[in-house]
Amino acid sequence: MPNTNSTAAARKLRSSYFTTTISIALVLFLLGMIGLLVLNANRVSSYVKENLSLTVTFAPDTRDAEVRQIEKQLLATPQVKSVRYIDKEEAAREMEANLGENFLDMLDENPLLPSMEVKLFAQYANEEGMAALAEQVRAYKSVRDVNYEKDVVNLIHDNVRKISFVLLGFSVLMLLVAITLINNTVRLMVYSKRFLIRAMQLVGATRGFIRRPFLASAVIQGLVGGLLANAMLAVIVFFSARELPGIVGFNNPYYLVLLFAVVFLTGVVITLISTTRSVNRYLNLRTADLYV
């Protein structure tokens, strides 16, 4: 009959390895999520900025040929990303959709003016860039007015800068938390085997021989934890990019591969360092101190 005590010990050991590996994977996953936020911070900032627009209002008698000429010239301007012309009829339809009723029923004619929505590339979507383009557009004779939300532009510009600093600080904090949590998890695992370490010392095992299985286990746990974390991150990236294509995504896959590599290596390095320190601690303890 199999030894009941040895079977229970083996089951307990497997449970300990499983719990430690899952804990490492979850911590690495959180660290990877922060990495994804950092990598996408610039994309989110660009997405917000590129949705700011200048509204160009034309005189009622502006000919279609003039509008097309202005549109062509604007699209040739380096800072302009897109141009959308809204004629009087389309403006009325949009107004009706916003109001929920046809306001033209109360009027003899459509009072709305044709307009154009001009969006800039992110690097130019600031107060200076929009003011310069507005001044350029006002020079056209058929243009009645050019408007943009100056306060909103300044607010977004300032908040993007603040959020970038906050995100950087939070990333550093999360890295420290990850190191601490993984270190404590590994220390608890080694602590549960402190008597085994002392038994191996008593039968004459060298320090290197004692460390070897612990370090091998640490590498395996770091590798498995990193793989699990990267698998969860890959799922998050896939679904996020599919559901939020304008906000989440990676123009350069190199950065995503680099993030996965960092998460993978972080798990291995932290578990190795933590295991080495913990094993060395119990190798240097006296027998009486093992019970403390």
Side-chain angles (χ1 to χ4, degrees):
M1 290 180 63
N3 191 314
T4 305
N5 291 334
S6 63
T7 303
R11 190 182 301 114
K12 187 176 181 181
L13 183 63
R14 285 195 298 270
S15 176
S16 173
Y17 279 131
F18 177 78
T19 303
T20 303
T21 303
I22 293 300
S23 299
I24 292 170
L26 290 176
V27 173
L28 292 174
F29 171 70
L30 290 176
L31 187 62
M33 285 296 294
I34 297 298
L36 287 178
L37 288 175
V38 171
L39 289 179
N40 275 279
N42 187 58
R43 187 182 180 96
V44 173
S45 171
S46 297
Y47 178 82
V48 172
K49 290 179 179 180
E50 289 179 355
N51 274 280
L52 298 171
S53 61
L54 288 166
T55 301
V56 181
T57 306
F58 294 97
D61 57 348
T62 304
R63 293 177 300 172
D64 187 65
E66 290 181 71
V67 173
R68 297 305 173 192
Q69 182 63 27
I70 293 173
E71 181 179 3
K72 184 177 180 181
Q73 291 176 359
L74 285 176
L75 287 173
T77 305
Q79 61 264 42
V80 174
K81 180 184 179 182
S82 66
V83 176
R84 174 174 169 251
Y85 176 61
I86 305 170
D87 59 24
K88 296 175 63 174
E89 289 72 24
E90 186 174 354
R93 287 194 295 271
E94 291 184 0
M95 181 71 75
E96 181 181 350
N98 291 332
L99 295 176
E101 59 181 348
N102 189 358
F103 71 100
L104 293 178
D105 293 339
M106 299 178 290
L107 302 172
D108 295 330
E109 61 178 16
N110 185 353
L112 300 177
L113 297 175
S115 62
M116 187 177 286
E117 190 180 75
V118 183
K119 294 184 178 180
L120 284 69
F121 286 105
Q123 60 267 36
Y124 301 107
N126 49 50
E127 186 179 357
E128 295 77 14
M130 297 191 110
L133 185 61
E135 194 64 30
Q136 176 184 334
V137 174
R138 286 192 184 101
Y140 294 108
K141 293 181 180 180
S142 55
V143 172
R144 172 172 286 190
D145 197 9
V146 181
N147 295 299
Y148 65 94
E149 297 290 341
K150 184 184 298 186
D151 293 337
V152 174
V153 172
N154 290 332
L155 184 63
I156 290 176
H157 184 71
D158 293 339
N159 285 343
V160 164
R161 188 183 307 168
K162 292 176 184 176
I163 291 171
S164 299
F165 284 118
V166 171
L167 196 57
L168 180 61
F170 189 61
S171 302
V172 174
L173 178 63
M174 275 302 300
L175 178 60
L176 295 176
V177 170
I179 292 173
T180 303
L181 289 176
I182 293 177
N183 181 61
N184 289 340
T185 301
V186 171
R187 286 180 63 185
L188 286 173
M189 185 190 68
V190 176
Y191 172 80
S192 67
K193 298 176 178 60
R194 64 194 186 282
F195 293 112
L196 176 62
I197 294 174
R198 179 46 51 96
M200 294 173 72
Q201 282 183 304
L202 292 175
V203 298
T206 63
R207 286 173 171 258
F209 182 83
I210 295 172
R211 286 194 199 98
R212 199 171 299 126
F214 286 97
L215 296 181
S217 175
V219 171
I220 293 173
Q221 287 179 322
L223 290 174
V224 174
L227 285 173
L228 290 175
N230 282 337
M232 290 187 285
L233 286 174
V235 172
I236 294 294
V237 169
F238 174 77
F239 284 104
S240 298
R242 190 177 69 175
E243 298 298 327
L244 303 168
I247 300 177
V248 179
F250 296 91
N251 296 327
N252 190 346
Y254 168 78
Y255 293 114
L256 188 59
V257 173
L258 183 62
L259 175 64
F260 285 168
V262 168
V263 170
F264 194 75
L265 291 175
T266 298
V268 175
V269 171
I270 295 177
T271 51
L272 265 178
I273 294 174
S274 300
T275 301
T276 302
R277 291 180 59 191
S278 299
V279 172
N280 286 343
R281 178 173 180 268
Y282 290 109
L283 285 174
N284 296 326
L285 282 180
R286 296 175 301 172
T287 302
D289 294 332
L290 295 176
Y291 296 90
V292 178

